[in-house]
Amino acid sequence: QVQLQESGPGLVKPSETLSLTCTVSGGSISSYYWSWIRQPPGKGLEWIAYIFYTGKTKYSPSLKSRVTISVDTSKNQFALKLSSVTAADTAIYYCASGGTYHEYWGQGTLVTVSS
Amino acid sequence: QSVLTQPPSASGTPGQRVTVSCSGSNSSIGINYVYWYQQLPGTAPKLLIYRNNQRPSGVPDRFSGSKSGTSASLAISGLRSEDEATYYCATWDDSLSDEEVFGGGTRVTVL
């Protein structure tokens, strides 16, 4: 059973960069595409980006200019960086398996953007 | 404003059948598979239906999905209290945006 766990700061200051890591266990990161999805408090889901272990990426057009997704196969991890954050980026951030649909999800981590 | 349109709420009594609709476009649902996720309060979403009408292992057959043209539906038969959750449809949009898109979510209440 594949398990995912997000980690990273829960509080980020406006204009700074949000950085999160997702650790995959119970399976190889070289077996799937991997995605980041976020959910503002009380709102719906928003896809951010996906990556394949080879480094192939795709980004949401609305976030593309600020987002970088990367993978570290030696650590079975993939990561998200979102630059120039504002309060609108406050959300629960989920990492998930798959590029077009998501069978496995992390529990999510709340990131608050505030000074 | 979500690319996929869902009603904000639906409800039913235990044992009833409830359906949740999801409306898209020619570039989204019209040419791509539809997926459904169940999100219980305070938890991560769970894959409920993939490729329009397939259930992952462990998902009860009370849940079924269908697609016709640019719309899709999720049906829950024999509604149970534990089905009270928010349900999201999702697909890929092959328009200029070329991204995964979600519906706004439908909150299902068991009366």
Side-chain angles (χ1 to χ4, degrees):
Chain A
Q1 178 79 355
V2 175
Q3 294 184 309
L4 297 90
Q5 178 67 57
E6 304 90 351
S7 59
L11 181 64
V12 181
K13 290 182 169 56
S15 80
E16 295 189 345
T17 296
L18 177 161
S19 295
L20 296 174
T21 298
C22 182
T23 301
V24 179
S25 59
S28 171
I29 202 163
S30 301
S31 301
Y32 295 99
Y33 282 79
W34 304 94
S35 294
W36 287 98
I37 295 160
R38 70 180 183 179
Q39 184 173 36
K43 297 189 178 181
L45 301 167
E46 179 184 20
W47 174 72
I48 300 171
Y50 74 56
I51 190 165
F52 195 49
Y53 77 97
T54 57
K56 172 185 173 182
T57 59
K58 187 175 280 290
Y59 296 102
S60 164
S62 64
L63 297 170
K64 186 174 183 177
S65 63
R66 299 193 291 130
V67 172
T68 302
I69 188 172
S70 59
V71 64
D72 186 336
T73 55
S74 67
K75 295 181 179 179
N76 235 34
Q77 294 178 333
F78 63 106
L80 173 74
K81 291 188 184 299
L82 179 64
S83 64
S84 305
V85 297
T86 69
D89 295 310
T90 294
I92 298 172
Y93 285 76
Y94 295 101
C95 58
S97 66
T100 50
Y101 70 97
H102 315 290
E103 184 173 8
Y104 304 107
W105 294 68
Q107 64 185 21
T109 186
L110 175 63
V111 179
T112 301
V113 178
S114 175
S115 55
Chain B
Q1 188 83 12
S2 301
V3 173
L4 303 180
T5 302
Q6 297 181 239
S9 62
S11 63
T13 57
Q16 274 191 329
R17 185 175 188 268
V18 170
T19 61
V20 178
S21 62
C22 176
S23 178
S25 66
N26 289 327
S27 64
S28 60
I29 292 179
I31 55 174
N32 291 303
Y33 288 122
V34 177
Y35 306 90
W36 290 92
Y37 298 91
Q38 176 194 58
Q39 188 173 34
L40 299 170
T43 70
K46 169 190 170 184
L47 180 66
L48 204 61
I49 297 288
Y50 67 100
R51 292 179 188 167
N52 300 335
N53 55 19
Q54 302 299 302
R55 284 185 306 277
S57 174
V59 173
D61 59 8
R62 302 185 294 103
F63 295 92
S64 62
S66 64
K67 172 186 148 177
S68 178
T70 59
S71 295
S73 291
L74 172 72
I76 310 172
S77 59
L79 191 66
R80 303 176 68 162
S81 58
E82 57 260 42
D83 299 333
E84 193 159 282
T86 301
Y87 294 83
Y88 294 92
C89 59
T91 189
W92 201 264
D93 189 336
D94 283 348
S95 67
L96 289 176
S97 64
D98 190 22
E99 62 181 327
E100 180 176 11
V101 291
F102 289 92
T106 298
R107 172 72 179 169
V108 170
T109 302
V110 182
L111 302 171

